mmCIF file of all heavy atoms in Angstrom:
data_model
loop_
_atom_site.group_PDB
_atom_site.id
_atom_site.type_symbol
_atom_site.label_atom_id
_atom_site.label_comp_id
_atom_site.label_asym_id
_atom_site.label_seq_id
_atom_site.Cartn_x
_atom_site.Cartn_y
_atom_site.Cartn_z
ATOM 1 N N ARG T 72 130.909 118.039 88.466
ATOM 2 C CA ARG T 72 130.548 118.026 87.043
ATOM 3 C C ARG T 72 129.863 119.356 86.649
ATOM 4 O O ARG T 72 130.055 119.801 85.506
ATOM 5 C CB ARG T 72 129.548 116.863 86.755
ATOM 6 C CG ARG T 72 129.332 116.563 85.317
ATOM 7 C CD ARG T 72 128.338 115.428 85.148
ATOM 8 N NE ARG T 72 126.981 115.863 85.414
ATOM 9 C CZ ARG T 72 126.221 116.446 84.512
ATOM 10 N NH1 ARG T 72 126.725 116.808 83.364
ATOM 11 N NH2 ARG T 72 124.981 116.780 84.893
ATOM 12 N N ARG T 73 129.212 119.964 87.588
ATOM 13 C CA ARG T 73 128.516 121.241 87.287
ATOM 14 C C ARG T 73 129.493 122.445 87.377
ATOM 15 O O ARG T 73 129.125 123.547 87.090
ATOM 16 C CB ARG T 73 127.411 121.435 88.340
ATOM 17 C CG ARG T 73 126.247 120.521 88.182
ATOM 18 C CD ARG T 73 125.315 120.941 87.134
ATOM 19 N NE ARG T 73 124.126 120.033 87.026
ATOM 20 C CZ ARG T 73 123.141 120.202 86.137
ATOM 21 N NH1 ARG T 73 123.166 121.285 85.352
ATOM 22 N NH2 ARG T 73 122.143 119.357 86.093
ATOM 23 N N GLY T 74 130.719 122.156 87.808
ATOM 24 C CA GLY T 74 131.715 123.221 87.875
ATOM 25 C C GLY T 74 131.979 123.789 89.214
ATOM 26 O O GLY T 74 132.652 124.853 89.345
ATOM 27 N N ALA T 75 131.630 123.106 90.304
ATOM 28 C CA ALA T 75 131.852 123.607 91.670
ATOM 29 C C ALA T 75 133.310 123.535 92.008
ATOM 30 O O ALA T 75 134.067 122.627 91.602
ATOM 31 C CB ALA T 75 131.015 122.791 92.658
ATOM 32 N N ASP T 76 133.733 124.512 92.767
ATOM 33 C CA ASP T 76 135.138 124.503 93.297
ATOM 34 C C ASP T 76 135.227 123.471 94.358
ATOM 35 O O ASP T 76 134.432 123.453 95.343
ATOM 36 C CB ASP T 76 135.424 125.904 93.887
ATOM 37 C CG ASP T 76 136.883 126.014 94.364
ATOM 38 O OD1 ASP T 76 137.559 125.004 94.511
ATOM 39 O OD2 ASP T 76 137.255 127.105 94.620
ATOM 40 N N ARG T 77 136.180 122.562 94.249
ATOM 41 C CA ARG T 77 136.318 121.488 95.238
ATOM 42 C C ARG T 77 136.435 122.003 96.630
ATOM 43 O O ARG T 77 136.039 121.389 97.603
ATOM 44 C CB ARG T 77 137.538 120.607 94.884
ATOM 45 C CG ARG T 77 137.298 119.763 93.635
ATOM 46 C CD ARG T 77 138.594 119.060 93.229
ATOM 47 N NE ARG T 77 138.445 118.341 92.031
ATOM 48 C CZ ARG T 77 138.214 116.995 91.892
ATOM 49 N NH1 ARG T 77 138.146 116.236 92.983
ATOM 50 N NH2 ARG T 77 138.085 116.394 90.686
ATOM 51 N N ALA T 78 137.068 123.166 96.789
ATOM 52 C CA ALA T 78 137.281 123.728 98.131
ATOM 53 C C ALA T 78 135.960 124.181 98.804
ATOM 54 O O ALA T 78 135.910 124.347 100.000
ATOM 55 C CB ALA T 78 138.262 124.915 98.086
ATOM 56 N N THR T 79 134.918 124.400 97.973
ATOM 57 C CA THR T 79 133.655 124.899 98.573
ATOM 58 C C THR T 79 132.637 123.808 98.748
ATOM 59 O O THR T 79 131.565 124.030 99.362
ATOM 60 C CB THR T 79 133.012 125.995 97.692
ATOM 61 O OG1 THR T 79 132.625 125.364 96.405
ATOM 62 C CG2 THR T 79 134.031 127.094 97.362
ATOM 63 N N ILE T 80 132.939 122.597 98.321
ATOM 64 C CA ILE T 80 131.904 121.502 98.304
ATOM 65 C C ILE T 80 131.444 121.185 99.695
ATOM 66 O O ILE T 80 130.257 120.960 99.953
ATOM 67 C CB ILE T 80 132.457 120.288 97.583
ATOM 68 C CG1 ILE T 80 132.413 120.540 96.056
ATOM 69 C CG2 ILE T 80 131.680 119.024 97.935
ATOM 70 C CD1 ILE T 80 132.930 119.426 95.214
ATOM 71 N N THR T 81 132.314 121.149 100.716
ATOM 72 C CA THR T 81 131.954 120.773 102.008
ATOM 73 C C THR T 81 131.009 121.852 102.697
ATOM 74 O O THR T 81 130.345 121.576 103.642
ATOM 75 C CB THR T 81 133.138 120.568 102.915
ATOM 76 O OG1 THR T 81 133.971 121.750 102.899
ATOM 77 C CG2 THR T 81 133.966 119.373 102.528
ATOM 78 N N SER T 82 130.987 123.068 102.103
ATOM 79 C CA SER T 82 130.048 124.059 102.578
ATOM 80 C C SER T 82 128.676 123.937 101.949
ATOM 81 O O SER T 82 127.689 124.541 102.406
ATOM 82 C CB SER T 82 130.611 125.407 102.383
ATOM 83 O OG SER T 82 130.686 125.769 100.959
ATOM 84 N N LEU T 83 128.633 123.161 100.861
ATOM 85 C CA LEU T 83 127.339 122.963 100.155
ATOM 86 C C LEU T 83 126.625 121.728 100.500
ATOM 87 O O LEU T 83 125.374 121.656 100.400
ATOM 88 C CB LEU T 83 127.627 122.935 98.603
ATOM 89 C CG LEU T 83 128.219 124.212 98.000
ATOM 90 C CD1 LEU T 83 128.593 123.972 96.529
ATOM 91 C CD2 LEU T 83 127.208 125.369 98.075
ATOM 92 N N ILE T 84 127.353 120.726 100.944
ATOM 93 C CA ILE T 84 126.729 119.438 101.279
ATOM 94 C C ILE T 84 126.513 119.340 102.771
ATOM 95 O O ILE T 84 127.402 119.593 103.587
ATOM 96 C CB ILE T 84 127.612 118.280 100.768
ATOM 97 C CG1 ILE T 84 127.625 118.273 99.228
ATOM 98 C CG2 ILE T 84 127.134 116.954 101.349
ATOM 99 C CD1 ILE T 84 128.440 117.187 98.649
ATOM 100 N N HIS T 85 125.312 118.893 103.178
ATOM 101 C CA HIS T 85 124.997 118.640 104.590
ATOM 102 C C HIS T 85 124.299 117.268 104.707
ATOM 103 O O HIS T 85 123.221 117.027 104.210
ATOM 104 C CB HIS T 85 124.048 119.744 105.095
ATOM 105 C CG HIS T 85 124.602 121.147 104.993
ATOM 106 N ND1 HIS T 85 125.198 121.789 106.065
ATOM 107 C CD2 HIS T 85 124.717 121.954 103.946
ATOM 108 C CE1 HIS T 85 125.624 122.951 105.676
ATOM 109 N NE2 HIS T 85 125.341 123.137 104.370
ATOM 110 N N GLY T 86 125.002 116.327 105.373
ATOM 111 C CA GLY T 86 124.506 115.016 105.573
ATOM 112 C C GLY T 86 124.208 114.790 107.004
ATOM 113 O O GLY T 86 124.921 115.273 107.917
ATOM 114 N N ILE T 87 123.128 114.038 107.286
ATOM 115 C CA ILE T 87 122.737 113.648 108.663
ATOM 116 C C ILE T 87 122.729 112.143 108.746
ATOM 117 O O ILE T 87 122.169 111.475 107.871
ATOM 118 C CB ILE T 87 121.310 114.169 108.989
ATOM 119 C CG1 ILE T 87 121.058 115.609 108.516
ATOM 120 C CG2 ILE T 87 121.090 114.036 110.495
ATOM 121 C CD1 ILE T 87 121.939 116.619 109.200
ATOM 122 N N GLU T 88 123.347 111.596 109.799
ATOM 123 C CA GLU T 88 123.366 110.159 110.007
ATOM 124 C C GLU T 88 123.429 109.822 111.483
ATOM 125 O O GLU T 88 124.315 110.354 112.184
ATOM 126 C CB GLU T 88 124.567 109.535 109.252
ATOM 127 C CG GLU T 88 124.788 108.056 109.554
ATOM 128 C CD GLU T 88 123.559 107.209 109.275
ATOM 129 O OE1 GLU T 88 122.856 107.437 108.221
ATOM 130 O OE2 GLU T 88 123.249 106.316 110.075
ATOM 131 N N ILE T 89 122.564 108.976 111.896
ATOM 132 C CA ILE T 89 122.476 108.690 113.378
ATOM 133 C C ILE T 89 123.568 107.689 113.813
ATOM 134 O O ILE T 89 123.927 107.682 114.967
ATOM 135 C CB ILE T 89 121.061 108.199 113.712
ATOM 136 C CG1 ILE T 89 120.815 108.298 115.187
ATOM 137 C CG2 ILE T 89 120.875 106.756 113.204
ATOM 138 C CD1 ILE T 89 119.352 108.159 115.573
ATOM 139 N N ASP T 90 124.041 106.864 112.893
ATOM 140 C CA ASP T 90 125.040 105.886 113.238
ATOM 141 C C ASP T 90 126.440 106.495 112.996
ATOM 142 O O ASP T 90 126.776 106.873 111.902
ATOM 143 C CB ASP T 90 124.842 104.630 112.341
ATOM 144 C CG ASP T 90 125.786 103.525 112.733
ATOM 145 O OD1 ASP T 90 127.040 103.701 112.706
ATOM 146 O OD2 ASP T 90 125.339 102.377 113.022
ATOM 147 N N SER T 91 127.229 106.591 114.056
ATOM 148 C CA SER T 91 128.522 107.276 113.964
ATOM 149 C C SER T 91 129.530 106.562 113.065
ATOM 150 O O SER T 91 130.308 107.261 112.327
ATOM 151 C CB SER T 91 129.124 107.411 115.360
ATOM 152 O OG SER T 91 129.344 106.139 115.933
ATOM 153 N N GLN T 92 129.455 105.264 113.011
ATOM 154 C CA GLN T 92 130.394 104.512 112.070
ATOM 155 C C GLN T 92 129.992 104.744 110.634
ATOM 156 O O GLN T 92 130.911 104.893 109.783
ATOM 157 C CB GLN T 92 130.336 103.006 112.423
ATOM 158 C CG GLN T 92 130.876 102.662 113.810
ATOM 159 C CD GLN T 92 132.291 103.140 113.955
ATOM 160 O OE1 GLN T 92 133.193 102.853 113.116
ATOM 161 N NE2 GLN T 92 132.551 103.838 115.063
ATOM 162 N N GLU T 93 128.708 104.800 110.334
ATOM 163 C CA GLU T 93 128.281 105.075 108.953
ATOM 164 C C GLU T 93 128.609 106.524 108.590
ATOM 165 O O GLU T 93 128.994 106.809 107.460
ATOM 166 C CB GLU T 93 126.771 104.864 108.830
ATOM 167 C CG GLU T 93 126.338 103.398 109.011
ATOM 168 C CD GLU T 93 126.882 102.481 107.942
ATOM 169 O OE1 GLU T 93 126.238 102.357 106.921
ATOM 170 O OE2 GLU T 93 127.992 101.921 108.129
ATOM 171 N N ALA T 94 128.514 107.439 109.550
ATOM 172 C CA ALA T 94 128.832 108.871 109.252
ATOM 173 C C ALA T 94 130.302 109.011 108.886
ATOM 174 O O ALA T 94 130.654 109.755 108.013
ATOM 175 C CB ALA T 94 128.493 109.686 110.491
ATOM 176 N N LEU T 95 131.169 108.236 109.522
ATOM 177 C CA LEU T 95 132.632 108.250 109.175
ATOM 178 C C LEU T 95 132.835 107.774 107.758
ATOM 179 O O LEU T 95 133.666 108.326 107.039
ATOM 180 C CB LEU T 95 133.369 107.384 110.171
ATOM 181 C CG LEU T 95 133.549 107.950 111.584
ATOM 182 C CD1 LEU T 95 134.195 106.927 112.499
ATOM 183 C CD2 LEU T 95 134.395 109.207 111.557
ATOM 184 N N LYS T 96 132.108 106.762 107.381
ATOM 185 C CA LYS T 96 132.204 106.223 106.007
ATOM 186 C C LYS T 96 131.793 107.288 105.000
ATOM 187 O O LYS T 96 132.391 107.497 103.915
ATOM 188 C CB LYS T 96 131.393 104.964 105.824
ATOM 189 C CG LYS T 96 131.848 103.753 106.650
ATOM 190 C CD LYS T 96 130.853 102.615 106.477
ATOM 191 C CE LYS T 96 131.203 101.444 107.412
ATOM 192 N NZ LYS T 96 130.244 100.350 107.273
ATOM 193 N N ALA T 97 130.753 108.008 105.315
ATOM 194 C CA ALA T 97 130.224 109.047 104.399
ATOM 195 C C ALA T 97 131.257 110.171 104.258
ATOM 196 O O ALA T 97 131.506 110.697 103.178
ATOM 197 C CB ALA T 97 128.907 109.630 104.965
#
Side-chain angles (χ1 to χ4, degrees):
R72 192 181 73 82
R73 293 277 182 179
D76 183 345
R77 291 173 184 258
T79 66
I80 285 178
T81 55
S82 66
L83 297 174
I84 292 179
H85 300 262
I87 317 295
E88 174 52 44
I89 199 167
D90 185 302
S91 60
Q92 294 304 308
E93 296 294 272
L95 287 174
K96 295 176 185 177

